[in-house]
Amino acid sequence: MKDVKGVIFDMDGVILDTETLSLMFWEKTLKSHGIEMDREKHILLMGKNSEETLRCLKEIYGEDVPIKDYYLEKGQAVIDYLEENKPGVKKGFESLLKYLIENGYKSAIATSTARWKMSNRMKFLHFDEMVDCVICGDEVNKSKPNPEIFLKSAEKLGLTPEECIVIEDSKSGVEAAYKGGFRCIMVPDYKKPDEEMKEMIFKVMDSLEDVEAWLKK
């Protein structure tokens, strides 16, 4: 696509298959405290930074539940797992990134995950070293669905929102891209787009392989 000069990727659920991992450890952690976590509740957390995640969890489980303690416990369990195990990479990402590099596109990762957590997840992969910039959730003032993280990414790339494609899998990410004036391609992970999301999405594609094929056109 001649009018596209940059691609901004979300990380969890777009580049890395870590949303499955997150749900698994949330289920395990909360079950040990007699609380249930399911797929639908987990979808509400996707794309949010730590502050917004805690706020959302308090709305779900109530103020009396020590959810911050459980959040830290779950987070440490994921960290321990990733110290020994490489996270799964979403189908088509490595080929797409190679295509972008070889064809002069700029690229960024814009993740709600904090910088130290992002580094832990990328330890075995180094994709963060291959893109032009990485903006993390603790480097912006407002979490998705606020567009700040995407606007900051575009600024770092030296591009306007109109020149960028955002690739997202979560409702909060789709909304953030839309509010920022970006075209958003949704590659669903857990959640298929509802009618509200469809109004904000430029295209829905089944995989990152489809994104690469579309750019080649």
Side-chain angles (χ1 to χ4, degrees), residues 36-68:
E36 295 296 323
M37 167 66 79
D38 57 35
R39 190 184 184 94
E40 290 306 309
K41 291 185 181 74
H42 189 255
I43 285 172
L44 298 175
L45 310 180
M46 290 169 59
K48 293 179 169 60
N49 65 11
S50 57
E51 182 180 346
E52 284 297 305
T53 297
L54 286 169
R55 185 190 60 78
C56 188
L57 287 167
K58 286 178 182 178
E59 287 183 358
I60 295 170
Y61 295 109
E63 293 288 340
D64 294 336
V65 175
I67 202 66
K68 186 173 182 178

Side-chain angles (χ1 to χ4, degrees), residues 117-182:
K117 287 184 181 179
M118 184 278 298
S119 298
N120 176 264
R121 294 177 189 187
M122 289 291 183
K123 181 170 62 174
F124 298 108
L125 301 171
H126 306 293
F127 295 139
D128 53 323
E129 299 170 9
M130 300 170 67
V131 298
D132 294 290
C133 76
V134 177
I135 307 295
C136 296
D138 55 347
E139 296 165 348
V140 293
N141 295 315
K142 296 181 179 178
S143 177
K144 302 172 187 175
N146 187 284
E148 181 185 1
I149 196 166
F150 292 136
L151 293 170
K152 189 170 182 178
S153 298
E155 182 180 2
K156 287 279 188 181
L157 295 177
L159 300 175
T160 65
E162 293 77 15
E163 294 173 315
C164 299
I165 290 291
V166 168
I167 303 179
E168 266 287 357
D169 69 306
S170 70
K171 185 171 185 175
S172 59
V174 167
E175 186 177 343
Y178 178 78
K179 287 179 176 177
F182 296 86

Side-chain angles (χ1 to χ4, degrees), residues 9 27-28 51 67 90:
F9 296 92
E27 288 176 332
K28 184 177 180 179
E51 182 180 346
I67 202 66
K90 300 292 281 189

Side-chain angles (χ1 to χ4, degrees), residues 9-28:
F9 296 92
D10 176 42
M11 182 176 70
D12 294 303
V14 171
I15 298 174
L16 303 181
D17 190 19
T18 42
E19 295 294 4
T20 302
L21 193 66
S22 176
L23 174 58
M24 180 177 74
F25 280 103
W26 266 124
E27 288 176 332
K28 184 177 180 179

